[in-house]
Amino acid sequence: MKVTVRFFALYRQLVGTAETSVEVPAGATLSQLWEQVQGLFTGLRGYPLMAAVNGEQCDGTTPLSGGDEVAFLPPFSGGRR
Amino acid sequence: MKVTVRFFALYRQLVGTAETSVEVPAGATLSQLWEQVQGLFTGLRGYPLMAAVNGEQCDGTTPLSGGDEVAFLPPFSGGRR
Amino acid sequence: MIELTHQPLSPQALVDQVQSGRAGAVVTFVGVVRGESEGRQVLYLEYEAFEPLAREKLHELAVEMKARYGVDEVAVAHRLGRAEVGEVITVIAVASAHRREAFEACQFGIEQLKARVPIWKKEVFKDGEHWVGA
Amino acid sequence: MIELTHQPLSPQALVDQVQSGRAGAVVTFVGVVRGESEGRQVLYLEYEAFEPLAREKLHELAVEMKARYGVDEVAVAHRLGRAEVGEVITVIAVASAHRREAFEACQFGIEQLKARVPIWKKEVFKDGEHWVGA
C-alpha cells in the first residue's frame, strides 16, 4: 500500500523534499515506516520518531492504512530559548 | 523645640488632620515623638512606627531637631493584593 | 524607569521602554482594579503616596531588580488618585536575555513594591469606604 | 484564545482580550527576536508550524493552564514566517484574581509551548542558516 509522507523544517532540508509517496507492506506500523524512510533518506538517521497520521499525533505502534498522510516532525523549537 | 508632623491616608483619617505642629523636648527621638503623638491622637495607638524625617525613612532611635518635618506612614498597601 | 502618576497607565508604553534588540524575553505584571473585594462591590479605589519617598523607593527597587537578577531593563509604574474598576494600578515590565530571570525579577518586583513603597489604597463601596492594609 | 499568524503580533491586543472586571492580575510573557545567537549576529528568524496540529496543541495548552492554575483567562499567540530582530514571536497572557497563579500559569505556558507544540525556528545569519532544536 502507498502512504504520503511529509517533511517539515529541518527534515525537509535534510531530505530535500516536502512530500513523497512511500510503498509499505500492508499492516505496517508507524515505526516500520520511519525505519524505511530513514533507509531512503539517511540524513534522518539518529532522530527520534515524532509524527502525526492524518493530522493526529501518534506513537510508533500505530498501524497504517493505504492513503494515510504521515507528517514527520523534527524536535520542536517554538517560543524563545 | 517644635516639629511639623504629617499624616497620610489612614492616619490622616484617624487624626482628622493632614498636618500639625508638636512641641517636643530638645534631643527627643523619633520614638519619643511617636509616643507623644499617640497620646494626643489615641486612634493611632497600636500601630507600628514607620516614619520619614525630612523625606528620609528613619528608625525610632533617630534624634530630632527643631523644624524637622516628620511624616508618619501607615502600613503600605500599594499594588494589588 | 519609574512612573508615579495620576494619569491612566499604558502597559504597552512600559513594554516598549524596556524592549531592546538584546532582550529575548519581556515579562509584564499588570495589576487592575477589581470590581469586588471580599464579597463587596467596589465603586472605585483611591491611591495616595508619600511621593518623594515613594519615588526613591521605586527607583531603588528597579536598581535592585537589575542587580539581583541580572536583567537588562526594568520599568515600574504605579497609579495615584481615583482609579475606576478595570483601570490599571501597577505595571512592572522586565526585559532580559532569558525568560527565567525575567519572571523571577517581575515577581520579586511586585512583592517588594507592596512591602516597601509608601503607597496606600482606599476602597470605596456604595455604603462606605476604608483604607486597606492597616 | 489562540493565535498562529504570519502577521506581526500585538501583545496589547492579547492583554485586552484576557482582561475583565474580575481579574486583578494580568501576567504577560513576550518573546522577542534577539539580534544575537551564541555570539553570531542574527539577520532574521523564520518560523514554521505543522499548522492543524499546532493549533490543536495551543488550544489544549490554554485549556490546561486554566484548569491547572484556576486562572480566569488565557491567550496564547505565536508568530509564523519571517520575523525581524525586535519583532514579537510569542505572547502568553494570563488573567487571574490573584497574581501568584497568573505568574505560575504563564511560566508553565511558555515552557510547555516549547516542549509540545510543533513549531520550528530557522536562524538566518550573514554567512548561513540553520534549523534550531534538532
Side-chain angles (χ1 to χ4, degrees), chain A residues 10-78:
Chain A
L10 176 71
Y11 289 175
R12 187 182 58 242
Q13 179 192 307
L14 290 173
V15 308
T17 185
E19 194 174 315
T20 188
S21 182
V22 176
E23 179 75 35
V24 290
T29 64
L30 186 53
S31 281
Q32 288 167 333
L33 173 63
W34 182 231
E35 277 174 42
Q36 201 176 323
V37 166
Q38 286 178 316
L40 289 166
F41 304 105
T42 56
L44 297 178
R45 288 181 187 170
Y47 287 101
L49 166 60
M50 193 144 39
V53 179
N54 303 323
E56 293 289 316
Q57 207 167 356
C58 291
D59 69 18
T61 64
T62 307
L64 299 173
S65 306
D68 278 350
E69 186 193 85
V70 179
F72 287 113
L73 312 175
F76 309 152
S77 66

Side-chain angles (χ1 to χ4, degrees), chain B residues 4-58:
Chain B
T4 299
V5 172
R6 294 180 64 192
F7 299 106
F8 290 88
L10 176 71
Y11 289 175
R12 188 182 58 244
Q13 179 191 305
L14 290 173
V15 308
T17 184
E19 194 173 315
T20 187
S21 183
V22 176
E23 179 74 36
V24 289
T29 64
L30 186 52
S31 281
Q32 287 166 336
L33 173 63
W34 182 231
E35 277 175 40
Q36 201 176 322
V37 166
Q38 286 178 315
L40 289 166
F41 303 106
T42 55
L44 298 177
R45 287 181 187 170
Y47 287 101
L49 167 59
M50 194 145 38
V53 179
N54 303 323
E56 292 291 316
Q57 206 167 355
C58 291

Side-chain angles (χ1 to χ4, degrees), chain D residues 43-99:
Chain D
L43 294 185
Y44 62 90
L45 301 182
E46 226 172 281
Y47 284 87
E48 179 179 334
F50 180 35
E51 291 204 31
L53 187 60
R55 275 177 215 284
E56 190 185 312
K57 293 282 175 185
L58 287 174
H59 180 73
E60 267 176 35
L61 178 56
V63 168
E64 188 175 334
M65 286 165 69
K66 286 166 84 166
R68 195 178 170 119
Y69 296 98
V71 297
D72 291 330
E73 295 294 339
V74 167
V76 183
H78 203 290
R79 176 75 180 274
L80 295 179
R82 175 173 170 152
E84 309 297 329
V85 171
E87 284 193 322
V88 173
I89 290 310
T90 331
V91 182
I92 300 191
V94 178
S96 173
H98 303 286
R99 67 179 175 280

